Amino acid sequence: MDLLPFNSYEEYIDNFITIKDVRYLRGLKIQRKLIKNACGKSCVGNLLSRKEFVSRRETALAMLQPPGLSASQLFGDYLNSNDQVLKQIARREKILMQKRMSTVIFLIMRSSRGLEISSFIDLEQSFREAHVHSSHPNYIDWRGIFEGKVKLMPRNHDLSHFDWHKNSTVFNNSDNFLIVTEGAHSLLLMHSGDHKKICVNAGCDCNYSRNATRSMYVSNIYGNVIFFDHIIRRMN
């Protein structure tokens, strides 16, 4: 399990709490105690102790800083254009890496064959994977993108990938979001930290659509790109 999304041991424990637990066990202290007792030896492998959690998370954080990249270095520092979409992505990078917000972008581009493809992309995960690209097969070259050497393209392992020519859709959970299909909604994203659902359906005014701020920016390179910014709410 990736421990980076959890800023505390309590958040790590809360990840094992199910909707059923919340419904029948009102008190968070009782829920956490139940998880520790029930999962200590048999739930999704051994539950980490507080000491093990801290140690493993520190190791994971260290891996985010490969040789030559300082703790304060951001990919957005390499932005060398006035492209509005890239400027907006760069503005969000630091706050995303601090886990205070999660952002999903909707991008439509043309493939090498000139056919339209689109994706919903989890920005925080893509930045994090780029930091450890030597060990991650699907990393995005964000430095190259900000320098204008590479284009950001939809990929079939993004949150949602649609090939308009083949009329085929692929859904994938990310570290920050789970894919949810519910009723009339063609696609809902549930944040794995605070369990808030986000509706990304165009023109929808349901309660879920209020869990993220929707904005659109125009780029000569990327056309119209939609941003869904979700402020992470901690479980109390």
Side-chain angles (χ1 to χ4, degrees):
M1 175 184 291
D2 180 17
L3 300 180
L4 291 176
F6 310 114
N7 292 319
S8 68
Y9 184 65
E10 285 70 28
E11 287 184 21
Y12 164 70
I13 295 295
D14 292 346
N15 182 66
F16 294 93
I17 297 175
T18 66
I19 298 299
K20 187 178 294 185
D21 295 331
V22 173
R23 184 177 302 162
Y24 294 107
L25 300 172
R26 299 297 181 181
L28 187 56
K29 289 184 178 180
I30 297 176
Q31 295 166 13
R32 287 173 176 167
K33 184 176 181 180
L34 176 66
I35 292 299
K36 290 178 181 179
N37 291 337
C39 297
K41 296 183 178 180
S42 60
C43 179
V44 196
N46 290 334
L47 193 71
L48 298 178
S49 66
R50 185 182 295 274
K51 183 177 180 180
E52 290 171 331
F53 169 81
V54 172
S55 175
R56 294 191 187 185
R57 191 172 187 278
E58 287 178 349
T59 299
L61 284 170
M63 291 178 63
L64 291 180
Q65 300 175 27
L69 186 63
S70 67
S72 60
Q73 183 71 64
L74 300 173
F75 291 113
D77 293 340
Y78 295 98
L79 178 63
N80 59 9
S81 74
N82 290 319
D83 184 273
Q84 289 302 308
V85 167
L86 293 181
K87 286 174 68 174
Q88 291 299 324
I89 293 176
R91 283 182 58 189
R92 289 162 170 77
E93 182 180 3
K94 185 174 183 178
I95 192 171
L96 290 174
M97 299 304 289
Q98 292 173 338
K99 295 290 187 178
R100 291 186 286 146
M101 180 175 78
S102 282
T103 296
V104 172
I105 64 171
F106 177 67
L107 174 69
I108 301 178
M109 295 290 282
R110 291 191 178 274
S111 68
S112 57
R113 295 188 297 168
L115 304 174
E116 284 192 337
I117 50 176
S118 64
S119 279
F120 286 91
I121 302 172
D122 180 345
L123 280 185
E124 187 279 330
Q125 177 166 315
S126 68
F127 281 133
R128 180 159 34 85
E129 290 174 349
H131 277 283
V132 292
H133 65 270
S134 59
S135 61
H136 202 287
N138 300 322
Y139 86 98
I140 295 176
D141 182 5
W142 278 108
R143 177 172 176 172
I145 289 170
F146 285 121
E147 290 178 336
K149 299 176 181 178
V150 181
K151 282 186 179 180
L152 177 63
M153 295 293 293
R155 308 163 304 164
N156 59 13
H157 48 266
D158 290 327
L159 274 168
S160 173
H161 177 80
F162 184 62
D163 187 317
W164 295 70
H165 177 65
K166 296 180 180 178
N167 194 30
S168 63
T169 304
V170 177
F171 296 116
N172 303 285
N173 294 329
S174 72
D175 291 342
N176 297 303
F177 292 97
L178 304 178
I179 300 296
V180 179
T181 55
E182 182 176 303
H185 297 88
S186 58
L187 177 63
L188 291 175
L189 305 176
M190 184 173 74
H191 191 267
S192 58
D194 61 16
H195 299 164
K196 293 291 183 181
K197 295 179 182 177
I198 299 170
C199 175
V200 296
N201 293 3
C204 185
D205 192 33
C206 68
N207 290 333
Y208 297 144
S209 65
R210 298 179 178 87
N211 288 330
T213 301
R214 177 189 175 115
S215 53
M216 183 173 70
Y217 299 92
V218 182
S219 162
N220 291 330
I221 302 173
Y222 299 104
N224 298 327
V225 178
I226 302 175
F227 288 68
F228 299 89
D229 295 316
H230 170 65
I231 303 300
I232 302 173
R233 298 167 176 81
R234 302 302 179 191
M235 295 180 65
N236 297 319

